[in-house]
Amino acid sequence: MRLIVIGCEYAGKTTLIDGLAAWGQARGIAFHLDDHFSLPDQFFLGPEEQRAMVALPPTIKERFQRFQIYYHVGNVLHEYEDVLFGGFHIEEAIYGPRYYYPGRAWPAYHRRVEAAMPPDTILLLAARPEVLRRRMAAAPHAYPLVAPDEVEAIGAAFEAEYRASWLARRLTIDTSDLTPAGLLRTFLDRVVPQLGERDLLRFRALRGREG
């Protein structure tokens, strides 16, 4: 199962990715998990390294993002059969020009890289704007990107990218009223029609053993 989980900041991407990774680990599925496509990378870097990444010139940020996206398409997605990506190329298409290198025009490549991907599922984790703002206030990120008054615009941008994507296997989950456990259950129920033959057979076997 290869999944690219997208959505506005605070929509629940990391919650689903972490829950699915734990679910897979308990069942012998070792997902390759990469949730480090937002700047600064908070997945592997310490505070000093994060500050250094924020201070990078915009041109270097764009180059770094482009390089790591092409690397993960050309290597990780084809090397591993079970992959979880948070945000990835669609998030970069939205956040990059707005937050990392505003005012600088580089050729868009996000549809092009989709043509090189194995069949994947994109998840648009949509939450109501007032819910996102409430989450922002309750648990602010160390390096927030999206301001409360930007939630509608960013949500619309993710919706547009989702619709424009060349990837055929997609589903949408509204996380507004879901607990982390409820989000995982909802995903496991709703992903079935999007699974390829290999994943569908394995998925049915795993859930069958669980009764």
Side-chain angles (χ1 to χ4, degrees), residues 30-202:
F31 283 101
H32 182 99
L33 191 161
D34 283 322
D35 192 14
H36 56 72
F37 301 104
S38 300
L39 298 182
D41 176 4
Q42 300 183 54
F43 199 60
F44 295 117
L45 304 184
E48 183 176 348
E49 295 163 319
Q50 290 171 353
R51 289 191 293 271
M53 180 167 278
V54 169
L56 287 173
T59 301
I60 302 301
K61 289 179 181 177
E62 189 282 333
R63 183 179 299 174
F64 173 79
Q65 291 292 83
R66 179 160 37 93
F67 283 4
Q68 73 161 339
I69 286 170
Y70 271 100
Y71 167 79
H72 283 81
V73 171
N75 294 274
V76 176
L77 279 174
H78 288 275
E79 182 176 350
Y80 298 93
E81 293 184 324
D82 296 299
V83 178
L84 299 175
F85 283 169
F88 198 44
H89 68 300
I90 287 182
E91 180 178 292
E92 171 59 21
I94 297 167
Y95 288 173
R98 190 167 188 134
Y99 301 118
Y100 307 147
Y101 38 90
R104 290 162 171 82
W106 277 277
Y109 55 86
H110 306 92
R111 297 288 85 80
R112 189 184 315 127
V113 298
E114 289 177 344
M117 295 180 186
D120 295 298
T121 300
I122 290 182
L123 304 178
L124 177 63
L125 293 182
R128 295 189 298 273
E130 68 272 15
V131 174
L132 293 177
R133 280 189 275 266
R134 188 164 64 242
R135 292 173 180 173
M136 290 178 179
H141 295 167
Y143 291 93
L145 289 171
V146 180
D149 62 354
E150 296 179 304
V151 166
E152 285 84 358
I154 295 297
F158 272 105
E159 180 73 30
E161 282 289 325
Y162 176 82
R163 294 184 182 279
S165 172
W166 291 356
L167 296 175
R169 302 184 182 194
R170 310 178 229 175
L171 67 99
T172 301
I173 299 174
D174 187 335
T175 71
S176 298
D177 302 313
L178 295 175
T179 64
L183 174 55
L184 179 61
R185 287 194 303 270
T186 300
F187 167 80
L188 293 174
D189 289 338
R190 294 192 54 197
V191 75
V192 173
Q194 307 299 331
L195 296 176
E197 182 178 1
R198 168 189 171 273
D199 288 325
L200 183 59
L201 290 173
R202 182 174 57 167

Side-chain angles (χ1 to χ4, degrees), residues 23 27-29 201-211:
W23 178 88
R27 291 157 180 81
I29 301 175
L201 290 173
R202 182 174 57 167
F203 191 80
R204 286 174 173 168
L206 287 171
R207 302 204 84 179
R209 288 202 298 268
E210 294 171 359

